Structure formats: C-alpha cells, structure tokens
Amino acid sequence: MKTICLYFEIHQIIHLKRYRFFDIGTDHYYYDDYENERSITDIANRSYMPALNALKEMIDQNGDYFKVAFSLSGTGIEQLEMHAPQVLAKLQELNETGCVEFLAEPYSHGLAALANEASFARDVKKQAVKIKEYFGQEPQVLRNSSLIYSDDIGGQAAAMGFKGMLTEGAKHVLGWKSPHYVYNCAIAPNLKLLLRDVTLSDDISLRFNNSEWEGYPLFADNYIERIANFPEEEQVINIFMELSALGIAQPLSSNILEFLKAIPACAKAKGITFSTPTEICMKMKSVGALDVPDTLSWVDEERDVSCWLGNPMQREAFNKLYSIADRLRIADDPRINQDWDYLQASNNFRFMTTKPSNVGLDRGIYTTPFDAFTNYMNILGDFINRVNSLYPESIDNDELDALLTTIKNQGDEIEKKDKAITRLQAKIDKMQKEEDKLKAKLEKLGAEAPAKKPAAKRTAKKKVEKAEEKKEE
C-alpha cells in the first residue's frame, strides 16, 4: 500500500543591517529589527496562518488518516516568539491532534555539518530541546539545513541517535533507482533515509501557479492519479517543501490551499495513506544502502552545496566563521552564542553566490554578491574580535582542544558525582523515614506503658489485701 509523507519546513531569515568597516569595535549589534519584524509578520499573515488553518481543517475532516510533519529552525522559532506567536499557538493546536510529527534540524539553519561535527551536534541538540519545550516531542528524525546530506553527515546523525534522516532524491545520486523506497546510510546502516520526490514536490512549491508550465493547471485528482500509477512496489512518496511555498511562492489567489485540501479525499479513494517520517522508519525496511560520498542538497539544479560555497568569497567567509567554532564551544556569553546562531545561517552565504539560478534570489539590502560579502565580513570581523577578547588568539587550537577535553572530563566527573550524591541522598531519605517510623512506634509504646503500670499496681495491692483478710480469719 502506498503512503504519502508530507513535510513542511519553517525557517525565517535573520536580516543583517548595513555594517561599515568603521563600525567594527564600536557597534556590536548586527541586525535590522524593522525588516525582521516586517518580513516575519508578512509571511505569517500571507502564508503560515492560512496554510496551518488549512492543515488543521484537513485533520479535522480526516481524523488520524491524514498526517503531516514539520521542522522549525531555532532562529525561526525566536522570530515567531517575538513577532508572530499566533503561529506557534496554531502549531501547538495541530500537535494536540496527534497527527503531527516535529523533526530535528540545526537551530541556526547553518552549515556546521560541513565544517565542525561538535558544532553540528550542539546545534541540533539545541533545536531538539526547543521542540520538546513547545510540543512535548523528542525528535526521532533529522532534517539538515536545505536537506544537506552525505555519508559522513549520515554517520553523524546516527551517532546522535536518530532513526532516520530526510534528504534529496537527486538524480545524480539515485541513477536508475527510485526515490519511492526507504534506503539506509552507507556507513551507518541503522539510519533510514527518506528521499524527496523532486518532481512531485516542485510541482506544488515551484510550478503550481505557472501558466506556461505544461502541467498547468494542476488538479488534486490528477496529482494523486500519478502517484497511484507508480509501480506497486514503490510505496513511499515523500513530498517535502517549505511552508512558505503555500502563500508566498504560490499565492493564495492560485487556489493552492483548495488544491491541498482536496488531496486526502483523492488519496483515500485510491487506497493511498499518509504517514509521518518516524512511522515510515519504524515500519518499513531499507532496500539497501545509498552511497553519497559527495554532499547534496535540495537547492538549484546541481543539488549540491555550490550555492553556499561555490566561489572564493563564500569559502573565505565560511572558513573564517568556523575557524572560531571550537572557541565558541566553551563560550558562556548568551549574546555571543545568539550572534553565533544568527551568523551561521545559510542565507548569509547564499547572498554571496555568483551562480545563475532558475529560482529568483532576493539579496535584500545587497546590490551584488561582493556587497553581501563585504558587509558580512565587517560584521564577522567585529564578532571574532569579541570572541578573541574571551579566548585570546595566543591560545592555539591544540591548547584549546586540551582545555576542552579537560572541561569535558571534569563535566563528566561532576555528572557522575552528582548521580552518586542523588543516590546517596535517596538512601538517606529512606533511612530517615524508617527512623521516623521507629521513633513514632517507640513513642506510642512509651505512652501506653504508664497507663498499664498503675493498673498492675492496683491488681497487686488487691491480692495483698485479700491475703491479709484470710490471715485475720
């Protein structure tokens, strides 16, 4: 039986402000608050709220037959908390239906998986904590920024304990294979891989409102018919996209939400079900390993990482940023850590691309890739100076690694001792309770004893008196 895995990502760009060379050392605030509030409010009103309302209606109409998955970047959650809390409230309402799964992804929506394994793990763990806080779910499946994946990244995900990972069903990786099966990581067989159906996903997110597209207009019954006509053994249909595709990339006037709401009924008529990523990973076996030695993503025709690291400017900025990653691991300054999250975001490197793209790129305040590079490097220069004020450059990486190892060992030792203290405290509490019970019992016996003693004396006195009476007789 075929099943559809429908997934949406929610992420919000943190807009940087115009930052001059002469601001370095004098201004440590890097963000355009007005643009951040304007953009998230606009997206929430035009896309997120209408789309989430439609999904809630679909669940209400179809019960637990219809299921959907989301992931939210940590920086996106922060923007929603400040400027559009109604979106988080609606997601919590959807969560209460039991038909929604929330996935893990890097908190920063950054590229740490390509540079620093420890930073990547920390980034993912931080976002998972946020998801647990809001929705009470512990993510079992990982979705990396822009579906970035390779064998090495899959190994990192498996080491973090994830059951599965989403990635792109890229032709240059699949070859003759179909994305409609469950695969596994080549170096970590326990990690299941769910591959996005590129055509079916992009028909909705990129082409739906394009009147020049040969598939226009797209209707739900035709869409599901295509899925039903796949070979019987091709059972997993993964449709992944950004939530903003519903309302922003494809305007609401295109009837995109009416199309979406018609899909469950059409699917049910064809005997097609809906499943969450974890359900698929738990129920379906892998048909084999997928070899991905080179990194892939869901961006541009190449489906690689060249849109972020394809030119010397991007690579210089990327290497400069992650050159201080190890120093950040021992930073205990909330402001530093927040800036680190925002500066890692992949869009900062995307603005520097010189690649032509079929998908329009809005560079925001930047007029050229070089303009984006210059502004970012000015900010990064100030940020690195602040980090070095905490951990001077005189401390080389080897010394820092040794310091990190010492701190980690001390942390592990403290954790062990804390656990031992907890166990001992529990024993002490138990012994104290038993002692209190014994004291109470003794006190009760002591209270009863004086009452019995006078009664015994009276009995003895009566016996003596009777004996004396007998003598007199």
Side-chain angles (χ1 to χ4, degrees):
M1 181 180 290
K2 289 181 172 58
T3 191
I4 295 173
C5 181
L6 184 62
Y7 155 82
F8 297 99
E9 188 222 8
I10 298 176
H11 167 62
Q12 178 59 26
I13 290 174
I14 304 295
H15 295 273
L16 302 179
K17 69 180 182 182
R18 181 64 67 180
Y19 194 92
R20 309 292 181 183
F21 176 80
F22 297 103
D23 294 326
I24 298 174
T26 61
D27 183 3
H28 304 318
Y29 192 76
Y30 313 133
Y31 315 109
D32 186 339
D33 291 333
Y34 172 79
E35 183 58 24
N36 284 328
E37 181 176 2
R38 187 207 63 77
S39 60
I40 189 65
T41 302
D42 180 58
I43 292 174
N45 292 334
R46 292 170 53 201
S47 172
Y48 292 166
M49 288 306 296
L52 293 175
N53 284 328
L55 290 168
K56 179 62 165 59
E57 183 180 334
M58 292 163 71
I59 293 174
D60 291 341
Q61 291 177 350
N62 296 279
D64 59 6
Y65 165 75
F66 177 73
K67 296 174 182 177
V68 64
F70 296 94
S71 73
L72 296 85
S73 69
T75 55
I77 292 175
E78 289 184 16
Q79 291 296 296
L80 293 172
E81 287 173 333
M82 288 187 287
H83 306 302
Q86 70 274 19
V87 175
L88 292 172
K90 180 57 68 173
L91 285 167
Q92 289 174 323
E93 184 181 342
L94 282 165
N95 181 51
E96 291 171 0
T97 66
C99 299
V100 176
E101 178 179 357
F102 290 91
L103 311 185
E105 72 165 73
Y107 190 96
S108 66
H109 199 272
L111 307 175
L114 304 175
N116 190 291
E117 185 173 342
S119 292
F120 179 54
R122 180 183 179 186
D123 214 10
V124 171
K125 183 177 180 180
K126 184 176 179 181
Q127 185 266 359
V129 169
K130 200 80 169 176
I131 293 296
K132 179 68 180 296
E133 174 187 331
Y134 268 100
F135 308 109
Q137 295 190 24
E138 295 183 4
Q140 302 298 309
V141 175
L142 173 64
R143 183 264 188 200
N144 197 10
S145 308
S146 300
L147 296 188
I148 291 173
Y149 177 80
S150 68
D151 292 337
D152 289 338
I153 294 172
Q156 294 177 46
M160 285 187 270
F162 290 105
K163 291 182 173 64
M165 191 167 179
L166 310 187
T167 189
E168 181 77 338
K171 291 182 180 179
H172 71 276
V173 171
L174 284 170
W176 57 268
K177 298 177 183 177
S178 167
H180 305 146
Y181 296 93
V182 176
Y183 296 90
N184 63 265
C185 175
I187 64 174
N190 291 332
L191 184 79
K192 302 283 184 66
L193 298 178
L194 305 185
L195 309 185
R196 185 177 87 115
D197 185 305
V198 177
T199 302
L200 289 174
S201 300
D202 288 352
D203 281 352
I204 298 175
S205 62
L206 297 182
R207 294 183 281 269
F208 185 82
N209 194 44
N210 182 2
S211 59
E212 297 180 0
W213 170 46
E214 61 181 12
Y216 180 88
L218 181 62
F219 296 104
D221 54 352
N222 294 335
Y223 188 79
I224 293 299
E225 183 70 26
R226 288 162 56 191
I227 294 174
N229 288 336
F230 288 136
E232 182 63 30
E233 60 274 15
E234 297 187 13
Q235 296 186 357
V236 182
I237 315 300
N238 299 309
I239 301 173
F240 306 158
M241 68 191 79
E242 295 177 350
L243 187 62
S244 60
L246 310 179
I248 302 299
Q250 307 304 319
L252 298 181
S253 59
S254 68
N255 293 323
I256 184 71
L257 295 184
E258 285 67 26
F259 165 83
L260 187 69
K261 287 188 282 190
I263 284 179
C266 295
K268 186 179 288 187
K270 294 291 184 179
I272 299 171
T273 64
F274 288 83
S275 300
T276 64
T278 295
E279 287 178 339
I280 293 173
C281 290
M282 297 296 288
K283 293 178 182 178
M284 296 191 177
K285 295 182 179 179
S286 167
V287 298
L290 188 70
D291 293 310
V292 189
D294 299 319
T295 310
L296 62 88
S297 76
W298 72 358
V299 178
D300 292 344
E301 293 183 2
E302 295 84 356
R303 311 293 178 184
D304 57 15
V305 296
S306 59
C307 66
W308 303 289
L309 301 175
N311 64 47
M313 292 186 298
Q314 293 171 309
R315 291 190 291 273
E316 181 180 348
F318 178 82
N319 293 333
K320 193 75 171 177
L321 175 68
Y322 284 100
S323 69
I324 58 170
D326 290 335
R327 297 174 187 273
L328 262 296
R329 286 166 56 195
I330 58 173
D332 195 26
D333 184 324
R335 179 72 181 276
I336 288 283
N337 289 334
Q338 184 181 58
D339 290 340
W340 171 248
D341 290 335
Y342 294 171
L343 293 178
Q344 283 190 88
S346 61
N347 60 277
N348 292 314
F349 303 97
R350 175 77 162 156
F351 292 150
M352 304 175 200
T353 187
T354 52
K355 284 179 56 181
S357 176
N358 291 333
V359 180
L361 174 62
D362 180 5
R363 297 184 196 271
I365 64 172
Y366 308 122
T367 55
T368 65
F370 182 76
D371 185 25
F373 170 74
T374 302
N375 200 69
Y376 184 79
M377 292 302 285
N378 286 341
I379 291 173
L380 188 57
D382 182 78
F383 179 70
I384 290 176
N385 288 341
R386 289 165 58 204
V387 173
N388 287 336
S389 69
L390 297 174
Y391 310 106
E393 289 183 286
S394 58
I395 303 177
D396 61 29
N397 286 337
D398 290 338
E399 289 179 288
L400 193 59
D401 285 340
L403 178 60
L404 288 169
T405 301
T406 301
I407 292 173
K408 182 180 183 301
N409 292 339
Q410 289 177 343
D412 292 343
E413 188 66 26
I414 290 171
E415 185 177 355
K416 288 179 182 178
K417 289 181 177 179
D418 285 342
K419 288 180 179 178
I421 290 171
T422 301
R423 288 195 299 269
L424 289 172
Q425 187 63 50
K427 288 182 179 180
I428 291 171
D429 292 342
K430 184 177 180 181
M431 293 172 65
Q432 185 65 49
K433 288 180 181 178
E434 291 176 354
E435 183 181 346
D436 291 342
K437 287 181 181 179
L438 183 58
K439 283 182 178 179
K441 189 174 181 180
L442 290 173
E443 289 175 358
K444 184 178 180 181
L445 290 173
E448 291 176 354
K452 291 180 179 180
K453 192 172 181 181
K457 286 182 177 180
R458 287 194 298 270
T459 302
K461 185 177 180 182
K462 287 181 179 179
K463 287 182 179 180
V464 172
E465 289 176 350
K466 286 182 180 181
E468 288 178 352
E469 288 176 356
K470 285 181 180 181
K471 286 180 181 181
E472 290 177 358
E473 292 177 354

